[in-house]
Coordinates of all heavy atoms in Angstrom, one line a residue:
A18 N -48.1 51.4 65.6 CA -49.0 51.6 66.7 C -49.1 50.3 67.5 O -49.3 49.2 66.9 CB -50.4 52.0 66.3
I46 N -50.3 38.0 85.7 CA -50.8 36.7 86.0 C -50.6 35.9 84.7 O -51.1 36.3 83.6 CB -52.3 36.7 86.4 CG1 -52.4 37.3 87.8 CG2 -52.9 35.3 86.4 CD1 -53.8 37.3 88.4
T47 N -50.0 34.7 84.8 CA -49.8 33.8 83.7 C -50.8 32.6 83.7 O -50.9 32.0 84.8 CB -48.4 33.3 83.6 OG1 -47.5 34.4 83.5 CG2 -48.1 32.4 82.4
R56 N -48.8 30.9 87.2 CA -48.0 31.6 88.1 C -48.3 33.1 88.1 O -49.1 33.6 87.3 CB -46.5 31.5 87.7 CG -46.2 32.0 86.3 CD -44.7 31.8 86.0 NE -43.9 32.7 86.9 CZ -42.6 32.4 87.3 NH1 -42.1 31.3 87.0 NH2 -42.0 33.3 88.0
K59 N -44.6 39.9 90.3 CA -44.6 41.3 90.4 C -43.9 41.9 89.2 O -42.9 41.4 88.7 CB -43.9 41.7 91.7 CG -44.6 41.3 92.9 CD -43.9 41.8 94.2 CE -44.6 41.4 95.5 NZ -43.9 41.8 96.7
P70 N -56.4 47.5 76.4 CA -57.7 47.9 75.7 C -58.6 48.6 76.6 O -58.7 48.4 77.8 CB -58.3 46.5 75.2 CG -57.7 45.5 76.1 CD -56.3 46.0 76.6
K74 N -65.8 54.9 77.9 CA -66.1 55.3 79.3 C -64.9 54.9 80.2 O -64.5 55.7 81.1 CB -67.4 54.8 79.8 CG -68.6 55.4 79.1 CD -69.9 54.9 79.8 CE -71.1 55.6 79.2 NZ -72.4 55.1 79.8
L87 N -60.1 44.1 79.5 CA -59.3 42.9 79.7 C -58.5 43.0 81.0 O -58.7 42.2 81.9 CB -58.4 42.6 78.6 CG -57.6 41.3 78.6 CD1 -58.6 40.2 78.5 CD2 -56.6 41.3 77.4
E127 N -67.5 36.1 73.5 CA -68.5 35.3 72.7 C -68.8 36.0 71.4 O -69.6 35.5 70.6 CB -69.7 35.1 73.5 CG -69.5 34.2 74.8 CD -70.8 34.1 75.6 OE1 -71.7 34.8 75.3 OE2 -70.7 33.3 76.5
Y141 N -60.6 31.8 82.9 CA -60.0 31.9 84.2 C -60.8 32.8 85.1 O -61.0 32.5 86.3 CB -58.5 32.5 84.1 CG -57.9 32.8 85.4 CD1 -57.6 31.8 86.3 CD2 -57.5 34.1 85.7 CE1 -57.0 32.0 87.5 CE2 -56.9 34.4 87.0 CZ -56.7 33.4 87.9 OH -56.1 33.6 89.1
E153 N -51.7 32.5 97.4 CA -51.0 31.2 97.4 C -49.6 31.4 96.7 O -48.6 30.8 97.1 CB -51.8 30.1 96.8 CG -51.1 28.8 96.8 CD -52.0 27.7 96.2 OE1 -53.2 28.0 95.9 OE2 -51.5 26.5 96.1
G265 N -68.5 80.1 82.4 CA -67.8 81.2 81.7 C -68.5 81.7 80.4 O -69.7 81.6 80.3
Q299 N -40.1 63.3 71.5 CA -39.3 64.5 71.2 C -39.7 65.8 71.9 O -39.2 66.9 71.5 CB -39.3 64.7 69.7 CG -40.6 64.9 69.0 CD -40.7 64.5 67.6 OE1 -40.4 63.4 67.2 NE2 -41.0 65.5 66.7
F318 N -35.2 66.4 62.4 CA -34.7 67.7 62.3 C -34.2 68.1 63.7 O -34.6 67.5 64.7 CB -35.8 68.7 61.8 CG -37.0 68.8 62.8 CD1 -37.1 69.7 63.8 CD2 -38.1 67.9 62.6 CE1 -38.2 69.7 64.6 CE2 -39.2 68.0 63.4 CZ -39.2 68.9 64.4
L325 N -24.9 71.8 70.8 CA -23.9 71.6 69.8 C -22.9 70.6 70.2 O -22.3 69.9 69.3 CB -23.2 72.9 69.5 CG -24.0 74.0 68.7 CD1 -23.2 75.2 68.5 CD2 -24.4 73.4 67.4
Q342 N -8.2 65.5 70.8 CA -9.1 65.3 71.9 C -8.4 65.5 73.2 O -9.1 65.7 74.3 CB -9.7 63.9 71.8 CG -8.6 62.8 71.8 CD -9.2 61.4 71.6 OE1 -10.4 61.2 71.8 NE2 -8.4 60.4 71.2
A355 N -18.2 74.2 66.0 CA -19.6 74.5 66.1 C -20.2 74.8 64.7 O -21.3 74.3 64.4 CB -19.8 75.7 67.0
M357 N -19.2 73.8 61.8 CA -19.2 72.6 61.0 C -20.5 71.7 61.4 O -21.2 71.2 60.5 CB -18.0 71.7 61.3 CG -16.7 72.3 60.6 SD -15.3 71.3 61.1 CE -14.0 72.1 60.0
N386 N -49.4 78.1 72.6 CA -48.6 78.4 71.4 C -48.9 77.4 70.3 O -48.8 76.2 70.6 CB -47.1 78.5 71.7 CG -46.4 79.4 70.8 OD1 -46.9 79.9 69.8 ND2 -45.1 79.5 71.0
H389 N -46.8 77.4 62.8 CA -46.2 76.7 61.6 C -45.0 77.4 61.2 O -45.1 78.6 60.9 CB -47.3 76.7 60.5 CG -48.5 75.9 60.9 ND1 -48.7 74.6 60.4 CD2 -49.6 76.2 61.6 CE1 -49.9 74.2 60.9 NE2 -50.4 75.1 61.6
I409 N -17.9 79.4 75.5 CA -17.1 78.2 75.7 C -17.4 77.6 77.1 O -17.3 78.3 78.1 CB -15.6 78.6 75.7 CG1 -15.2 79.2 74.3 CG2 -14.7 77.4 76.0 CD1 -13.9 79.8 74.3
V447 N -38.9 77.6 92.2 CA -39.3 76.3 91.5 C -40.3 76.7 90.4 O -41.2 77.4 90.6 CB -39.9 75.4 92.5 CG1 -40.5 74.2 91.7 CG2 -38.9 74.9 93.5
D450 N -37.9 77.7 85.3 CA -37.5 77.3 84.0 C -38.6 77.4 83.0 O -38.4 77.7 81.8 CB -37.0 75.8 84.1 CG -38.0 74.9 84.7 OD1 -39.0 75.4 85.4 OD2 -37.8 73.7 84.6
Y505 N -26.3 90.3 73.4 CA -26.9 91.7 73.5 C -26.2 92.6 72.5 O -26.9 93.4 71.8 CB -26.7 92.2 75.0 CG -27.1 93.7 75.1 CD1 -28.4 94.1 75.1 CD2 -26.1 94.6 75.2 CE1 -28.7 95.4 75.3 CE2 -26.4 96.0 75.4 CZ -27.7 96.4 75.4 OH -28.0 97.7 75.5
G546 N -4.5 73.5 96.0 CA -5.6 73.2 97.0 C -5.9 74.2 98.0 O -6.7 74.0 98.9
G604 N -9.4 110.4 80.6 CA -10.5 110.6 81.6 C -11.3 109.4 81.9 O -12.1 109.4 82.9
E607 N -10.3 107.3 85.3 CA -10.6 107.9 86.6 C -12.1 107.9 86.9 O -12.5 108.3 88.1 CB -10.1 109.4 86.6 CG -8.6 109.5 86.5 CD -8.0 109.3 85.1 OE1 -8.9 109.2 84.2 OE2 -6.8 109.2 85.0
E642 N 11.4 67.8 76.0 CA 12.1 66.8 76.9 C 12.5 65.6 76.1 O 11.9 65.2 75.2 CB 11.1 66.4 78.0 CG 10.8 67.5 79.0 CD 9.8 67.1 80.1 OE1 9.3 65.9 79.9 OE2 9.6 67.8 81.0

Side-chain angles (χ1 to χ4, degrees):
I46 290 181
T47 301
R56 62 179 290 148
K59 293 181 181 179
K74 290 185 177 180
L87 189 64
E127 295 177 352
Y141 173 63
E153 186 176 353
Q299 59 206 58
F318 59 90
L325 288 178
Q342 58 184 344
M357 287 176 175
N386 201 0
H389 296 261
I409 299 171
V447 171
D450 53 347
Y505 170 76
E607 295 80 7
E642 290 179 355

